């Protein structure tokens, strides 16, 4: 991190000296919340029918190298929330979440902290951590950084936001997103080529690729589904999401994003996936998309004796 090259931005910020690059954070770890979270896919958060609804041990990191204009965790992505902690404290948090019964340790927006996470994971594994570690990212990853996680991360829960470079540039300032997301997924697949589930349906190892359908952009989401399925088939699970939430800050510059996704748009995407032959996929139905997926980033579970 002396000349940071962790993410595809490769901005070269001297984060060790306290400077910040595109992600908005120096080399200190900033965490805004560490708590049981129930709003991931059933094989991650658990399923009441299977007796596994204990939740995912979600650690919400501050900062982001992508910063999509429609981000539902906007203040977190822009590093306006978060408490500075040490790698040792982060490892302790992993153990505390396990003690609370978490199905796994869910690292949310972890890209900018890969080196520190490696230290924390080593500490936690050495002190009894035995649940899977989930790398929950935006998909804009450098395979070189992902290689460092080989044998550390058990599950990749990754976005694949765009196949259209124009959209990637407009909404995330990353025209090269499709290229990097494709290369990153290839490395994830090298590490986790086959999904592994427990007898009660919890994922122990594998890849879930998420795509959040944006209003008016069914074509882009179809292209993502086609890309992932044509290369990886049912070895990789898809998660087709219609929980897009419009925000007032988008008025003016992005009027096309100032509405929710319609049922017709979402059904068109699901039907396309089914027509392709996709069988391993999660879809959202009924009231699921009406729930609040945005927790309070109030520092819950972060502070400790060594933080």
């Amino acid at each position: 991190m002396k000349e940071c090259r962790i993410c595809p931005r490769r901005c070269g910020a001297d984060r060790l000296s306290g400077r910040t690059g595109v992600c908005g954070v120096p080399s200190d770890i900033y965490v805004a919340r560490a708590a049981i979270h129930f709003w991931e896919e059933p094989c991650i958060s658990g399923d009441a029918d299977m007796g596994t609804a204990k939740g995912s041990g979600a650690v919400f990191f501050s900062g982001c190298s992508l910063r999509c204009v429609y981000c539902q965790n906007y203040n977190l992505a822009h590093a306006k929330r978060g408490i500075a902690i040490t790698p040792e404290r982060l490892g302790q948090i992993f153990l505390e979440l396990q003690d609370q019964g978490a199905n796994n340790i869910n690292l949310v927006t972890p890209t900018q902290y890969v080196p520190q996470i490696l230290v924390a994971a080593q500490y936690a594994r050495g002190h009894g951590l035995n649940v899977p570690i989930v790398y929950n990212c935006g998909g804009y990853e450098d395979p070189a950084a992902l290689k460092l996680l080989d044998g550390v991360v058990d599950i990749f829960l990754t976005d694949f936001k765009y196949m259209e470079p124009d959209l990637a540039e407009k909404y995330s300032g990353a025209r090269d997103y499709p290229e990097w997301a494709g290369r990153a997924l290839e490395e994830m697949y090298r590490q986790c080529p086959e999904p592994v589930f427990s007898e009660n349906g919890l994922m122990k190892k594998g890849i879930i690729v998420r795509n959040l359908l944006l209003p008016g952009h069914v074509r882009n989401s179809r292209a993502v589904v086609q890309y992932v399925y044509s290369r990886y088939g049912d070895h990789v699970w898809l998660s087709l999401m219609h929980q897009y939430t419009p925000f007032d800050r988008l008025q003016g510059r992005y009027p096309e994003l100032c509405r929710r996704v319609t049922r017709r748009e979402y059904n068109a995407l699901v039907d396309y996936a089914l027509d392709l032959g996709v069988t391993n996929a999660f879809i959202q139905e009924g009231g699921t998309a009406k729930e609040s997926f945005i927790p309070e980033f109030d520092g819950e579970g972060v502070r400790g004796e060594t933080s």
Side-chain angles (χ1 to χ4, degrees):
M1 289 180 289
K2 182 68 176 176
E3 294 182 9
C4 193
R5 297 290 189 272
I6 293 175
C7 84
R9 302 285 191 187
R10 296 181 174 178
C11 65
D14 182 2
R15 294 171 62 196
L16 290 177
S17 298
R19 296 182 177 86
T20 60
V22 176
C23 67
V25 290
S27 61
D28 294 327
I29 307 169
Y30 287 87
V31 176
R33 177 182 174 88
I36 302 298
H37 190 64
F38 295 98
W39 302 115
E40 311 291 24
E41 287 75 6
C43 65
I44 302 295
S45 290
D47 188 326
D49 293 337
M50 300 295 290
T52 59
K54 298 179 181 180
S56 179
V59 180
F60 289 89
F61 292 99
S62 182
C64 180
S65 59
L66 205 51
R67 297 190 180 187
C68 307
V69 298
Y70 51 82
C71 179
Q72 65 179 11
N73 297 337
Y74 186 85
N75 287 334
L76 190 62
H78 285 73
K80 296 181 179 180
R81 297 285 188 275
I83 298 168
I85 61 173
T86 65
E88 180 182 356
R89 175 59 193 147
L90 182 60
Q92 291 172 353
I93 288 172
F94 295 171
L95 295 168
E96 290 165 7
L97 291 169
Q98 177 175 263
D99 289 343
Q100 293 171 35
N103 290 323
N104 44 61
I105 303 302
N106 184 359
L107 310 177
V108 184
T109 319
T111 308
Q112 60 276 14
Y113 299 110
V114 165
Q116 301 94 320
I117 287 169
L118 292 171
V119 176
Q122 183 179 32
Y123 173 91
R125 293 295 190 198
H127 288 77
L129 184 72
N130 55 30
V131 296
I133 293 178
V134 181
Y135 191 81
N136 185 343
C137 67
Y140 195 53
E141 304 286 321
D142 189 328
L146 293 179
K147 282 182 169 66
L148 300 174
L149 301 170
D150 196 355
V152 176
V153 165
D154 303 285
I155 300 167
F156 289 99
L157 180 57
T158 179
D159 291 341
F160 203 124
K161 298 176 183 293
Y162 313 105
M163 280 302 295
E164 299 181 9
D166 288 347
L167 288 187
E169 173 65 29
K170 184 176 183 179
Y171 297 144
S172 299
R175 187 173 186 82
D176 57 356
Y177 180 97
E179 175 189 351
W180 284 105
R183 292 175 58 193
L185 185 55
E186 184 177 350
E187 171 59 23
M188 294 174 189
Y189 184 74
R190 185 191 68 80
Q191 295 183 32
C192 301
E194 296 292 340
V196 177
F197 294 88
S198 67
E199 292 181 357
N200 53 11
L202 291 176
M203 181 173 273
K204 295 299 184 182
K205 196 171 185 66
I207 303 170
I208 300 174
V209 176
R210 288 172 162 173
N211 178 261
L212 176 66
L213 177 59
L214 299 176
H217 294 298
V218 175
R219 183 181 67 180
N220 175 69
S221 289
R222 283 175 171 169
V224 169
V225 171
Q226 195 280 331
Y227 178 89
V228 174
Y229 187 67
S230 67
R231 282 160 177 75
Y232 304 104
D234 285 321
H235 299 284
V236 168
W237 283 71
L238 285 164
S239 182
L240 307 180
M241 307 170 74
H242 76 129
Q243 66 196 55
Y244 173 79
T245 304
F247 294 98
D248 290 341
R249 67 173 185 268
L250 300 176
Q251 294 285 351
R253 188 172 181 184
Y254 306 102
E256 73 277 15
L257 296 182
C258 294
R259 67 170 177 87
R260 295 187 180 276
V261 170
T262 67
R263 171 59 60 179
R264 182 176 181 178
E265 288 174 316
Y266 186 68
N267 286 345
L269 176 60
V270 172
D271 289 344
Y272 178 79
L274 293 174
D275 289 343
L276 279 180
V278 174
T279 57
N280 289 346
F282 297 101
I283 63 173
Q284 295 179 325
E285 297 179 330
T288 303
K290 299 178 182 178
E291 300 286 356
S292 174
F293 292 86
I294 310 173
E296 292 292 331
F297 299 119
D298 54 6
E300 179 182 351
V302 179
R303 294 181 176 86
E305 293 181 0
T306 62
S307 64

